[in-house]
Amino acid sequence: MLFRKEVREVRFLSPLQGFNEVVQRVEFREDPLTGRWSRINLERAKRVRQAMGESPLDLLRESAKGCFFCPENLEDSTPKLPPEFGEERMRRGEATLFPNLFPFAEFHAVVVLSREHLLTVRDFHSRMLEDALRLSFEYFERVKGVEPRAVYAMLNWNHLPSAAASIVHPHFQLLVDRTPTFWLEKVLEGGKRYRRRTGRNFWSDLLREERRRGERWIGEGERIGWLAAFAPQGQNEVWAVFKEASCFGEV
Ligand SMILES: [Zn+2]
């Protein structure tokens, strides 16, 4: 497997070094599956981030007033599923699922994970996540029963405004469509191309290769391998690659 990268040096006179010349290295990396290029400059980790202030917890707590996802409002304020889903809202443990009020997928649901309005990352426990994930997979199954052509499912979780969540109360977004997103389409095409060329599965090969190299390998369990992406599209990007499952229905 080819991990292609080019390192280019950039020179300028830096105010941080008394306007002496400094050299920084920019790595251009090509994603081995899709061919998409990313750029990495390790020095950027040191830059000042004026717009990255953490939202103070008190301000986040304030947002509980009138929150649609809090237990006292959820029943009256959130939409219900149509009759073909068999029940109006799906539940498991603390998790509740209902349609998104402003959908942008053919099937677009929200899963509220907790009764509690504000949870920090440390407050989540495995049971809560398991319930929310199982409920999501159950929704994907039901969508398949309603519209068998809707096979492209996506589970998004943006937690707190620092991750671009507009609502503080912990929730997943589930989207299912007949067509893949632009990026998923590129990933699927790349996988097919790789199989045609080599006769093998890209993801199995990637796990084997990254485990051997160890540079980006984080660890693995029986069913999932964890690694940092070679050509990431975002900050702190970590991949969980299922060893056997190729879609949510097989997880
Ligand atoms: Zn709430």
Side-chain angles (χ1 to χ4, degrees):
M1 188 173 292
L2 187 63
F3 290 101
R4 189 171 157 208
K5 71 174 176 186
E6 288 173 23
V7 181
R8 296 178 195 157
E9 293 191 339
V10 185
R11 291 166 204 281
F12 58 94
L13 310 183
S14 171
L16 303 177
Q17 304 289 339
F19 291 102
N20 287 312
E21 185 176 281
V22 297
V23 179
Q24 292 192 11
R25 291 154 56 89
V26 180
E27 286 192 20
F28 293 73
R29 294 185 176 190
E30 187 189 32
D31 182 83
L33 180 64
T34 62
R36 182 180 164 137
W37 287 83
S38 314
R39 298 169 185 211
I40 293 175
N41 175 356
L42 292 179
E43 293 293 320
R44 288 176 62 80
K46 299 176 190 162
R47 72 194 191 277
V48 173
R49 291 184 173 90
Q50 290 182 332
M52 282 285 286
E54 275 300 301
S55 306
L57 278 179
D58 287 345
L59 206 63
L60 293 175
R61 275 190 203 101
E62 281 283 298
S63 65
K65 283 184 194 144
C67 169
F68 304 127
F69 295 174
C70 274
E72 62 272 24
N73 299 324
L74 191 143
E75 293 292 329
D76 294 331
S77 308
T78 61
K80 296 175 178 178
L81 292 161
E84 57 268 32
F85 280 85
E87 54 189 325
E88 293 179 334
R89 295 197 183 91
M90 294 163 59
R91 293 175 204 277
R92 187 183 174 103
E94 280 192 51
T96 308
L97 181 150
F98 47 84
N100 190 301
L101 191 57
F102 301 104
F104 56 100
E106 236 175 315
F107 299 92
H108 187 169
V110 171
V111 177
V112 170
L113 274 74
S114 61
R115 281 188 271 274
E116 196 72 36
H117 177 73
L118 174 62
L119 294 177
T120 65
V121 172
R122 282 193 185 83
D123 298 327
F124 290 97
H125 49 84
S126 55
R127 184 59 196 263
M128 184 186 281
L129 295 177
E130 184 184 338
D131 284 339
L133 287 170
R134 286 191 188 278
L135 191 65
S136 303
F137 297 159
E138 169 65 25
Y139 174 74
F140 294 148
E141 275 305 303
R142 289 200 202 178
V143 167
K144 213 192 297 176
V146 172
E147 173 50 90
R149 288 172 297 177
V151 295
Y152 298 101
M154 185 158 62
L155 191 161
N156 293 344
W157 184 12
N158 299 55
H159 185 54
L160 298 182
S162 51
S166 53
I167 290 185
V168 166
H169 202 125
H171 63 285
F172 291 166
Q173 302 271 357
L174 311 181
L175 300 93
V176 195
D177 274 305
R178 279 181 253 183
T179 46
T181 60
F182 174 79
W183 180 244
L184 179 58
E185 191 170 35
K186 295 289 156 222
V187 167
L188 292 172
E189 284 170 5
K192 282 179 194 154
R193 236 184 355 256
Y194 188 85
R195 186 179 282 281
R196 268 199 308 274
R197 208 176 67 234
T198 65
R200 295 191 306 275
N201 178 292
F202 171 81
W203 299 100
S204 304
D205 280 8
L206 179 75
L207 287 177
R208 196 175 313 115
E209 181 69 16
E210 290 285 32
R211 188 188 294 115
R212 186 184 67 77
R213 289 178 179 242
E215 295 163 35
R216 289 169 290 275
W217 189 249
I218 297 169
E220 65 187 314
E222 208 176 300
R223 302 167 69 184
I224 301 175
W226 296 85
L227 62 148
F230 169 72
Q233 293 182 63
Q235 299 275 0
N236 302 324
E237 186 171 319
V238 170
W239 289 3
V241 179
F242 285 84
K243 295 179 185 176
E244 300 295 333
S246 58
C247 65
F248 284 127
E250 295 173 3
V251 170

